[in-house]
Amino acid sequence: MRTPHNGCVPDVPDRTLLGRAFAVLGAFTAERPRLTQSELSRRTGLPLPTVFRLCGQLVDAGALERRADGSYQVGVRVWELGALAPRAHGLRQVAMPYLEDLFDATRENVQLVVREGLEALYVERLSARGAVAVVGRAGGRLPLHASSGGLVLLAHGGPELLQEVLDAGLERFTPATITDEARLRRVLDGVRRTGIVSCREYLNVGTMAMAAPIRERSGRVVAAISVVVSIDADPAPLIPAMRAAASGISRRLT
């Protein structure tokens, strides 16, 4: 199975200093959290001397940290800045008590998801030691069409977003992944009609993911809450608990 969002940036259209710096930071992924200057050059398409200069500047700013072996990793200053983002921090602050209650009730993977471009961004994930293994992680991204939270956000994102996703291509991750436009439209219609989605092995073989929308006061869907369990689990007792958590978070949003 291919890893979603591999972080490679072969072309860097923005040649400003800020654009190049973001290209370097964007090259790091959960699978490759430490990179050398040569690897950063290959993954960004930037010349090695440019990467050398940028790495020095980013280390000085605390955005990168240089390890003893000469490789680099993302610095805590980036985490500090990211924690200030209102869409993630404010939502997470409101949602955490409900996420924790849902986690205590289910002891399964519980996730809070927002949309970032054509991907689902996982703002938070709680997981028990014995819970089924999943691809998603806090701070990670997954495709909208193949993840439960992503499908909820896509269902309420409007026709232009759907067309962008279709134009980008529906990548297959398992034999059950939605790769057909007609099937995707049927699933999205179902999400809007029922207020919930259930995905059997769309992204991970052996798992079932369910998600429900979180709405701000105007009724606009701004996030999703999801639960990922074993494919053999009974979803019946989980769905009401997930709905209740989503409703609770929605009531608290201003």
Side-chain angles (χ1 to χ4, degrees), residues 4 7 9 50 70 74 90-91 93 96 106 110 119-120 130-131 156 162 182 195 200 227 237 252:
V9 188
T50 300
V74 175
L91 173 64
Q93 195 171 35
M96 276 306 294
T106 64
V110 174
E119 294 174 305
H156 297 279
L162 175 57
R200 298 179 65 86
V227 179
R252 291 283 308 278

Side-chain angles (χ1 to χ4, degrees), residues 37-196:
Q37 289 183 6
S38 296
E39 290 170 330
L40 285 168
S41 178
R42 288 195 299 271
R43 292 169 73 84
T44 62
L46 293 169
L48 189 56
T50 300
V51 170
F52 173 79
R53 184 172 65 254
L54 284 170
C55 284
Q57 293 170 337
L58 290 169
V59 167
D60 290 342
L64 285 183
E65 296 173 354
R66 191 173 189 274
R67 294 167 49 83
D69 62 2
S71 64
Y72 293 85
Q73 62 188 19
V74 175
V76 294
R77 181 59 178 153
V78 174
W79 176 83
E80 290 174 333
L81 292 172
L84 298 175
R87 192 156 63 98
H89 176 67
L91 173 64
R92 181 182 179 277
Q93 195 171 35
V94 169
M96 276 306 294
Y98 298 93
L99 296 177
E100 289 170 347
D101 286 347
L102 182 59
F103 173 72
D104 288 341
T106 64
R107 306 305 295 178
E108 299 287 356
N109 299 286
V110 174
Q111 302 172 137
L112 179 65
V113 188
V114 298
R115 182 173 69 84
E116 184 65 24
L118 300 183
E119 294 174 305
L121 174 64
Y122 285 71
V123 177
E124 184 58 78
R125 182 164 76 88
L126 304 178
S127 180
R129 178 171 299 186
V132 65
V134 296
V135 171
R137 63 176 182 84
R141 299 176 183 229
L142 291 175
L144 293 177
H145 74 283
S147 56
S148 59
L151 283 166
V152 167
L153 297 170
L154 182 57
H156 297 279
E160 291 184 0
L161 174 62
L162 175 57
Q163 191 58 54
E164 286 186 65
V165 168
L166 292 172
D167 291 345
L170 304 178
E171 183 177 0
R172 182 184 298 277
F173 296 94
T174 74
T177 304
I178 299 174
T179 57
D180 174 75
E181 177 180 345
R183 182 186 171 202
L184 178 59
R185 290 184 181 276
R186 288 195 299 271
V187 169
L188 297 179
D189 286 342
V191 173
R192 289 186 287 266
R193 185 177 64 255
T194 65
I196 201 167

